[in-house]
Amino acid sequence: MKMKKLIAGALAMAMALSLVACGGGDKPTTSQGNTPPPSTGSQNGSQTPSGGGNDLSANLTLATYPVGKMTDETVIKGLIADFNAVYPNVKIDVIYLDYANGDQTVNSMIEGKSAPDLIFEGPERLVANWGAKGLMVDLKDLLPAGTYDVTVGSCTNADGAVYELPVCQTAHCMGINKDLFTQAGAMQYINEDTHTWKSTADFLKAVEAVAAIHPQVGVVFCGGQGGDQGNRALVTNMYGGRYTNDAFTRYEANCAENVKALEALRAVNGIEFDPGIVGGDEIGLFCNGTLAMATCWNVGAAKSDTQGKTANFEIFPMAFPTESGDPSLQGGIWGFGIFNNGDETKIEAAKTFIKFMTEDEAQYKKIVEATGYWATREVSGLYAGTEDEALMTEYGKLVPFMGPYYQITLGWADARTAWWNALQRIGAGGDVKTELDQFVTEANAAAEAAEAG
């Protein structure tokens, strides 16, 4: 059920990924058949706005979160320089955000009536938060032709307004210490060609096997919301549970399947609930060898000079364990949004910047490669001939497993807090069903409050 809405996008991604290693790497596998026609979108093919041209003049502010190298000043200045070579009279100041304080920075700017004109982030902020509050500009007229259905749907609100122009995407996954798993005889529980577990029962057997030779296998981190895409996906995948309903209007994480999963995680030898750490801490403990696996993992971490590249063991990317053999990975989707600051000239200039970065394939490839992830429409030769080609091919095998992007459910920020609080109580011995019921009550109250305005 989870995969139905995403098959078109996932298959199209698989086709695109086969282009990553031109004549070299393996094509990501899928059993769903051929790629269907892409979704339609408007594209005028021009990087010069009507009536604007090189005379377009404005002073803009771009706020960008740390997606790949999108907070690398050299990279951002290079992208802006490309734009200014065509539009020299549009000046762009940049605010580099982080995930610790970025939301507070933007919210303070909004309260001070000085919101950034452009922002680069994901739908949970641009669509479910600021967009839901009526602060963003509808960008559906900018959608390039061929944008994958899954990304268009994730960037669109219930009224059909597109508050994010999607640029890149990835699939969050697990990482395991293959050296330790091999030593423990636990690779027998893994389908190495597809990077999947043979079953949830086999995942638990693997954890027990590694625990026999290594003191800490994994954690359910719950010190905060950071990296919670990992613990959510672990819980919902194990026995086919869900986090929200299919329409993304209600939270339903108190289902029997999730209760069973959390009880199994609490019981298995080798996994602990840790209220003192978040996803970033788990990554550090995994990369330094303390933990044998990480649930907060993706290709960005694998390429990081301070994370994946520092590990002195082979990191093997994995989908999350399932009984069905049909994993549903949390996706990351990022792109541009425009705050409606009431200045039509600035809005036109901001739209022109987005069109410049996304409509021409060469320029689009440049910004996608800056993020370090995959394109949201098919492009040729992405990462071909780069140092990341082999890694992107390997991790690309997981992208077709992307599941529903339920992070656009209203009340999302409060739901994230309620989730890690529930995990803390479960880890401390609380009844799993009772704690999940409380999570659902709190999360749905937040959703209802957001809907009421």
Side-chain angles (χ1 to χ4, degrees):
M1 190 69 176
K2 290 180 179 180
M3 298 293 290
K4 299 303 183 187
K5 297 172 69 175
L6 306 182
I7 288 173
L11 290 171
M13 281 185 279
M15 177 174 262
L17 286 165
S18 70
L19 298 169
V20 170
C22 296
D26 298 327
K27 179 177 180 178
T29 57
T30 177
S31 60
Q32 303 294 340
N34 295 324
T35 305
S39 62
T40 59
S42 62
Q43 180 181 15
N44 62 22
S46 171
Q47 292 190 4
T48 302
S50 59
N54 294 348
D55 294 331
L56 185 65
S57 179
N59 293 322
L60 304 178
T61 299
L62 163 66
T64 178
Y65 281 79
V67 181
K69 295 182 178 179
M70 291 299 288
T71 51
D72 183 315
E73 187 173 12
T74 300
V75 171
I76 296 300
K77 283 186 174 180
L79 292 170
I80 292 173
D82 292 342
F83 176 72
N84 283 150
V86 181
Y87 300 97
N89 298 320
V90 179
K91 308 302 180 185
I92 302 177
D93 294 321
V94 184
I95 299 173
Y96 299 100
L97 304 172
D98 58 38
Y99 284 113
N101 303 302
D103 292 359
Q104 181 179 346
T105 298
V106 176
N107 287 331
S108 294
M109 294 177 72
I110 292 170
E111 291 170 5
K113 309 298 183 184
S114 60
D117 303 291
L118 284 156
I119 188 163
F120 192 87
E121 211 339 57
E124 55 267 47
R125 288 176 173 85
L126 304 190
V127 179
N129 185 4
W130 298 313
K133 295 175 181 176
L135 301 175
M136 309 299 291
V137 174
D138 186 355
L139 303 178
K140 61 176 168 286
D141 59 316
L142 301 188
L143 279 172
T147 303
Y148 300 139
D149 288 338
V150 59
T151 52
V152 174
S154 301
C155 296
T156 306
N157 76 350
D159 296 325
V162 175
Y163 289 134
E164 177 183 330
L165 197 290
V167 170
C168 66
Q169 59 192 352
T170 192
H172 298 295
C173 62
M174 301 181 69
I176 65 168
N177 182 329
K178 189 175 181 180
D179 297 355
L180 276 176
F181 271 68
T182 300
Q183 183 181 346
M187 292 303 292
Q188 65 179 302
Y189 304 116
I190 289 172
N191 299 308
E192 293 190 51
D193 55 338
T194 58
H195 295 256
T196 57
W197 303 91
K198 292 182 177 178
S199 68
T200 296
D202 283 321
F203 163 72
L204 296 172
K205 290 177 184 176
V207 170
E208 293 274 6
V210 176
I213 66 166
H214 192 73
Q216 290 183 274
V217 182
V219 294
V220 177
F221 52 86
C222 45
Q225 68 183 31
D228 55 4
Q229 71 275 0
N231 53 45
R232 292 195 312 267
L234 177 62
V235 170
T236 56
N237 269 272
M238 286 178 66
Y239 297 106
R242 60 191 180 276
Y243 200 74
T244 71
N245 61 9
D246 290 341
F248 313 134
T249 59
R250 297 279 297 175
Y251 294 90
E252 297 182 349
N254 58 342
C255 59
E257 295 86 351
N258 290 348
V259 172
K260 183 178 180 180
L262 283 161
E263 288 175 342
L265 290 169
R266 193 167 61 180
V268 69
N269 183 36
I271 293 180
E272 301 291 338
F273 283 66
D274 194 331
I277 67 171
V278 295
D281 303 312
E282 183 211 47
I283 288 174
L285 293 169
F286 172 60
C287 291
N288 71 20
T290 301
L291 297 176
M293 69 181 188
T295 57
C296 182
W297 195 250
N298 62 29
V299 71
K303 292 190 290 188
S304 171
D305 291 334
T306 59
Q307 295 172 352
K309 288 184 179 179
T310 67
N312 61 0
F313 55 87
E314 181 179 352
I315 297 174
F316 193 75
M318 288 291 300
F320 287 87
T322 68
E323 285 293 272
S324 67
D326 186 22
S328 179
L329 303 189
Q330 283 285 271
I333 300 171
W334 297 274
F336 288 109
I338 298 175
F339 279 98
N340 189 349
N341 288 324
D343 187 322
E344 291 301 323
T345 299
K346 285 192 171 189
I347 291 172
E348 178 69 8
K351 285 186 173 183
T352 301
F353 180 81
I354 293 174
K355 290 167 68 177
F356 182 90
M357 291 295 161
T358 58
E359 288 190 349
D360 175 75
E361 184 169 293
Q363 190 69 40
Y364 178 55
K365 285 170 63 175
K366 185 180 291 188
I367 193 169
V368 172
E369 290 182 1
T371 70
Y373 294 125
W374 288 272
T376 54
R377 67 178 191 266
E378 187 174 347
V379 296
S380 60
L382 189 64
Y383 296 106
T386 71
E387 63 176 352
D388 292 330
E389 181 177 357
L391 193 69
M392 296 302 289
T393 300
E394 179 182 27
Y395 278 75
K397 295 176 183 178
L398 296 170
V399 176
F401 294 132
M402 278 179 63
Y405 198 93
Y406 55 70
Q407 297 96 303
I408 56 174
T409 307
L410 291 180
W412 182 250
D414 291 326
R416 294 182 78 183
T417 299
W419 175 249
W420 60 261
N421 283 334
L423 292 181
Q424 285 193 0
R425 296 191 299 270
I426 291 168
D431 178 75
V432 176
K433 181 63 164 64
T434 299
E435 303 305 345
L436 289 182
D437 284 345
Q438 182 174 335
F439 159 75
V440 165
T441 297
E442 294 173 359
N444 283 328
E448 291 164 6
E451 186 175 14

